[in-house]
Amino acid sequence: MALSEQELVRRNSLNELRKLGINPYPAEGYVVNVTASEIKEKFLADNTLFQEVSIAGRIMSRRIMGAASFVELKDSTSRIQLYFKRDDVCPKEDKTLYNTVFKRLLDMGDFIGVTGYVFTTKMGEISIHVTSFRLLSKALRPLPVVKEKDDKTFDAFTDPEMRFRQRYVDLIVNDPVKEIFIKRTKIINSMRSFLNDHGYLEVETPILQAIPGGASARPFVTHHNSLDIPMYLRVANELYLKRLIVGGFEGVYEFAKDFRNEGMDRTHNPEFTQMEIYVAYKDYNWMMSFTESMLEKIALDVHAKTDVVFEKNTISFKAPFNRVPILQAIKDHTGIDLNGKSAEECLEAAKSLGIEVDESMGKGKLIDEIFGEKCEHHYIQPTFITDYPVEMSPLCKRHRENPELTERFELMVNGKELANAYTELNDPIDQLERFEEQVRLAEKGDDEAMWIDTDFIRSLEYGMPPTSGMGIGIDRLVMFMTNNSSIQEVLFFPQMKPEPKKFIPKPEDFITIGVPQEWANYVIAAGFSSTKELKEQKASKVHQILNGYRKKNKLDIPALKIEEVEAWF
RNA sequence: GAUUUGGUAGCUCAGCUGGUAGAGCAUUUGACUUUUAAUCAAAGGGUCCUGGGUUCGAGCCCCAGCCAGAUCACCA
């Protein structure tokens, strides 16, 4: 790709700087004694402060008025205005540093370090009067220019494709984006300290697994060369964490990157983060209280209040949350009581509600469909939906009062699942049967391979204490806490299809096949991006095109002879 | 996977019934010593996503593809 005019200008500036003895990429660090936000916070109260500051950052805009200029400098905390005055920056005769280096060779996007003193301009803006400056790093690509006035943004950099592919540009130019990720880390830190305060141990378990268990999702497959076996990226870490409970830990948790080889959309990324926790001697009732107090704390840590605005709704994370058994939820929203009903009766109920069904659906599946279709979206405020049918929950203990149900809850927020928890199944014989049942179901459907993790069964055979486990989607939680409805907004680098590789033709390639030095660049400019492409044409045609190009652009080089061109083939 | 919208200058976007491609900002040159979407004057800048087709002629129409967004489906 040919460089744009602006890129060429900047590369020229780079050379000119070097000629002036200025290294555009100096090795040494730059000592800073203040940040932009510190100045803005404290200077108003006491304007004797900050009379010898040293600060570094990126130039975000420039307003040049002859011998004086204003620059907007952005450091990691904020933006602050700089005031450059020629005779202060260049006190002696030689004004090169201002006239040439600052005005002509620096650009928006460059990093500089400046020293000076803070003052307030006539317009009332806190600024730094610069006494000296140094180039710290030259930018060769122009940034998108985003301007603001009265909280209105002009020419915002909004193209999602570019924002996600070039997140660094997004972060430079769109200040609120940074806030999302600062909050993300706050949320994770808050959760981690809550878990640690309870004395639970943060652990790490394998991401690369021979058997991808713990959830029925399609895995990514890779290959181990020396073992010569397929390996899988984990879809969940549940089975490993439970092994650790077997091993004698009381409570273990992991912030896990999981990978699922399924569709991508506004709420699904192939890799995503879940926190899973398992605690011995607890049941799902305890886990509900634990989960709600954890979320309440996170909301307080992040927003200093329990009310969080998400889209059109205000969501209250104040504990306790409502608890509704799934059959009660269906009764509430459809008037149909499925308690104790047969599979046929459930099928009829689903049909009467206009839900698409097929005869192979079991009772559990039907209940899940009805809930998903008719109830789920009603639960805007955090609500624990409990006691799911046993078919849907192969790793969950049967309900102590009703063996068709399980001791499971899903936490619904804004009509979406945020967390999922069980009283864990620790009966190894029941567990094996449930796995086998899953395999049987999967074979019927035949679209997903299923694995039985026999080592996990073996671990249960040694005995696992009664345990409750919970998984919570961190990306979704961050979406709620930052009011973003797209998962891509809360991941630094959401998965995108690879950019098509732009082929960059090199003049040397053409020289190799015999194109004269002075012609090499023009051959590319004339439209031949590879030697192969050139050779696909007839020599006479190439001859014609190139001499046509020479004539059109009035090139000051001799025309090519047909024999010369033929020699390239 | 289906439907749908979009892809034009560094960025944000116009572009007529199909007839030599436009604006603002940015860039370059010049003026300007407290501006703030700075201002004023002039100039340069394009593989109109890619490949085919229709046409005397395609940014625009047709077909195929690529990338992205939205909606839906799938996801115990």
Side-chain angles (χ1 to χ4, degrees):
Chain A
M1 271 304 264
L3 294 173
S4 71
E5 183 200 16
Q6 293 191 48
E7 287 173 295
L8 289 172
V9 167
R10 286 173 183 233
R11 272 158 215 255
N12 279 336
S13 303
L14 198 69
N15 292 334
E16 285 197 51
L17 284 163
R18 289 206 165 105
K19 275 186 208 145
L20 288 168
I22 296 169
N23 180 355
Y25 301 107
E28 62 270 25
Y30 187 84
V31 179
V32 164
N33 64 14
V34 71
T35 64
S37 60
E38 225 179 311
I39 293 173
K40 290 206 265 189
E41 275 161 30
K42 297 183 188 159
F43 187 73
L44 261 189
D46 181 355
N47 62 13
T48 64
L49 292 173
F50 305 122
Q51 293 310 292
E52 276 180 50
V53 297
S54 175
I55 191 168
R58 192 190 284 275
I59 297 174
M60 296 307 289
S61 74
R62 300 200 299 167
R63 291 181 288 276
I64 296 176
M65 292 156 295
S69 303
F70 290 91
V71 165
E72 196 183 11
L73 189 80
K74 178 178 177 166
D75 73 1
S76 67
T77 63
S78 182
R79 299 175 185 226
I80 189 153
Q81 180 170 271
L82 308 179
Y83 175 61
F84 283 73
K85 198 163 144 188
R86 182 177 59 205
D87 296 339
D88 289 348
V89 171
C90 308
K92 297 187 186 137
E93 280 294 287
D94 183 5
K95 306 297 183 191
T96 311
L97 196 58
Y98 182 83
N99 286 341
T100 307
V101 176
F102 172 76
K103 273 170 71 175
R104 202 157 60 76
L105 301 181
L106 291 194
D107 291 287
M108 276 172 55
D110 293 352
F111 281 91
I112 56 171
V114 306
T115 61
Y117 56 90
V118 177
F119 73 110
T120 307
T121 65
K122 274 183 193 162
M123 303 301 289
E125 178 149 351
I126 296 170
S127 309
I128 299 173
H129 191 125
V130 174
T131 50
S132 76
F133 73 95
R134 213 164 88 202
L135 175 61
L136 301 180
S137 179
K138 179 94 193 124
L140 294 183
R141 281 178 190 263
L143 287 170
V145 183
V146 179
K147 296 198 172 187
E148 273 179 41
K149 168 152 185 162
D150 302 332
D151 284 338
K152 266 184 284 180
T153 305
F154 298 84
D155 299 335
F157 178 66
T158 51
D159 178 10
E161 176 162 8
M162 281 201 285
R163 285 185 51 231
F164 300 149
R165 284 197 199 279
Q166 301 185 53
R167 181 67 96 176
Y168 36 88
V169 177
D170 192 28
L171 287 162
I172 294 166
V173 153
N174 294 327
D175 290 336
V177 173
K178 210 166 166 184
E179 286 306 311
I180 296 170
F181 292 97
I182 292 170
K183 270 189 190 156
R184 183 180 173 116
T185 299
K186 254 192 200 167
I187 289 163
I188 291 171
N189 287 345
S190 170
M191 188 179 290
R192 179 174 279 128
S193 68
F194 181 87
L195 300 171
N196 287 342
D197 288 349
H198 279 76
Y200 303 138
L201 188 72
E202 181 167 14
V203 298
E204 293 171 279
T205 62
I207 293 168
L208 195 60
Q209 303 179 348
I211 298 171
S216 83
R218 273 176 290 181
F220 285 92
V221 191
T222 181
H223 184 259
H224 192 288
N225 285 344
S226 60
L227 296 180
D228 193 22
I229 55 168
M231 299 216 61
Y232 305 88
L233 299 181
R234 70 176 166 205
V235 295
N237 51 353
E238 169 155 4
L239 303 187
Y240 282 92
L241 291 175
K242 285 199 243 183
R243 283 172 170 91
L244 297 179
I245 298 294
V246 170
F249 291 102
E250 175 150 340
V252 289
Y253 72 91
E254 179 173 13
F255 284 90
K257 264 287 181 73
D258 290 338
F259 303 81
R260 294 188 181 177
N261 204 341
E262 278 154 15
M264 293 157 62
D265 60 33
R266 213 171 73 252
T267 54
H268 297 263
N269 195 63
E271 59 180 297
F272 62 103
T273 307
Q274 273 201 98
M275 194 288 295
E276 288 193 41
I277 178 167
Y278 293 81
V279 185
Y281 313 118
K282 306 295 187 196
D283 65 10
Y284 78 140
N285 291 314
W286 176 89
M287 189 59 86
M288 277 187 253
S289 316
F290 183 79
T291 302
E292 66 198 3
S293 56
M294 181 177 83
L295 288 172
E296 182 180 61
K297 174 192 186 279
I298 291 169
L300 285 169
D301 283 352
V302 175
H303 293 287
K305 56 182 185 192
T306 51
D307 280 359
V308 175
V309 173
F310 185 76
E311 293 177 335
K312 281 167 271 173
N313 302 314
T314 299
I315 294 168
S316 169
F317 283 97
K318 178 133 194 65
F321 304 161
N322 273 335
R323 286 145 211 235
V324 183
I326 191 166
L327 293 179
Q328 183 64 45
I330 290 172
K331 196 172 161 192
D332 290 346
H333 293 105
T334 68
I336 299 172
D337 187 355
L338 293 174
N339 207 354
K341 294 280 160 44
S342 68
E344 290 71 34
E345 288 169 308
C346 290
L347 190 71
E348 285 313 308
K351 278 185 190 162
S352 75
L353 293 166
I355 292 167
E356 267 185 59
V357 292
D358 66 72
E359 303 299 320
S360 75
M361 283 178 171
K363 182 175 172 183
K365 181 76 185 160
L366 289 164
I367 289 172
D368 194 56
E369 286 289 320
I370 296 170
F371 179 78
E373 197 70 31
K374 296 290 169 194
C375 312
E376 196 172 60
H377 59 276
H378 292 293
Y379 295 100
I380 302 300
Q381 296 303 321
T383 306
F384 293 113
I385 303 297
T386 65
D387 305 344
Y388 282 67
V390 68
E391 294 95 321
M392 319 303 296
S393 318
L395 295 159
C396 186
K397 189 174 272 190
R398 286 174 204 271
H399 196 277
R400 60 196 79 179
E401 285 157 14
N402 181 347
E404 289 192 343
L405 303 177
T406 54
E407 298 209 345
R408 171 181 185 179
F409 72 76
E410 284 192 5
L411 175 61
M412 312 301 303
V413 178
N414 201 54
K416 300 261 163 50
E417 176 192 344
L418 176 61
N420 185 5
Y422 308 143
T423 301
E424 300 296 333
L425 179 57
N426 61 349
D427 174 341
I429 294 171
D430 194 1
Q431 181 66 81
L432 181 59
E433 282 169 4
R434 300 253 210 116
F435 276 155
E436 284 166 349
E437 173 68 7
Q438 290 297 307
V439 171
R440 210 176 51 73
L441 285 175
E443 277 167 358
K444 249 207 279 187
D446 194 44
D447 79 326
E448 279 171 21
M450 290 292 294
W451 291 263
I452 295 183
D453 187 337
T454 53
D455 175 71
F456 173 67
I457 299 288
R458 179 166 63 188
S459 76
L460 293 186
E461 287 169 355
Y462 283 100
M464 182 172 85
T467 297
S468 184
M470 188 266 290
I472 180 165
I474 297 299
D475 309 298
R476 279 202 185 163
L477 179 61
V478 175
M479 286 161 68
F480 287 131
M481 291 288 173
T482 61
N483 193 10
N484 276 295
S485 54
S486 156
I487 195 171
Q488 293 164 307
E489 295 289 352
V490 303
L491 298 169
F492 270 129
F493 302 103
Q495 197 58 240
M496 307 284 274
K497 285 201 192 177
E499 270 181 281
K501 200 174 171 186
K502 280 193 185 126
F503 183 76
I504 301 163
K506 282 187 295 211
E508 296 79 51
D509 295 344
F510 290 92
I511 293 169
T512 328
I513 64 164
V515 176
Q517 179 90 42
E518 68 266 26
W519 267 98
N521 274 313
Y522 297 128
V523 171
I524 293 167
F528 296 105
S529 57
S530 68
T531 55
K532 182 163 165 275
E533 204 174 297
L534 184 143
K535 288 183 181 187
E536 277 165 5
Q537 302 282 343
K538 282 190 180 144
S540 55
K541 176 93 176 175
V542 174
H543 177 244
Q544 231 174 49
I545 290 172
L546 292 179
N547 280 335
Y549 182 86
R550 169 181 170 274
K551 197 171 171 189
K552 190 180 166 201
N553 292 282
K554 303 191 175 84
L555 301 183
D556 193 20
I557 49 175
L560 286 160
K561 296 195 180 84
I562 183 69
E563 302 82 50
E564 286 180 85
V565 176
E566 276 167 352
W568 306 344
F569 287 78

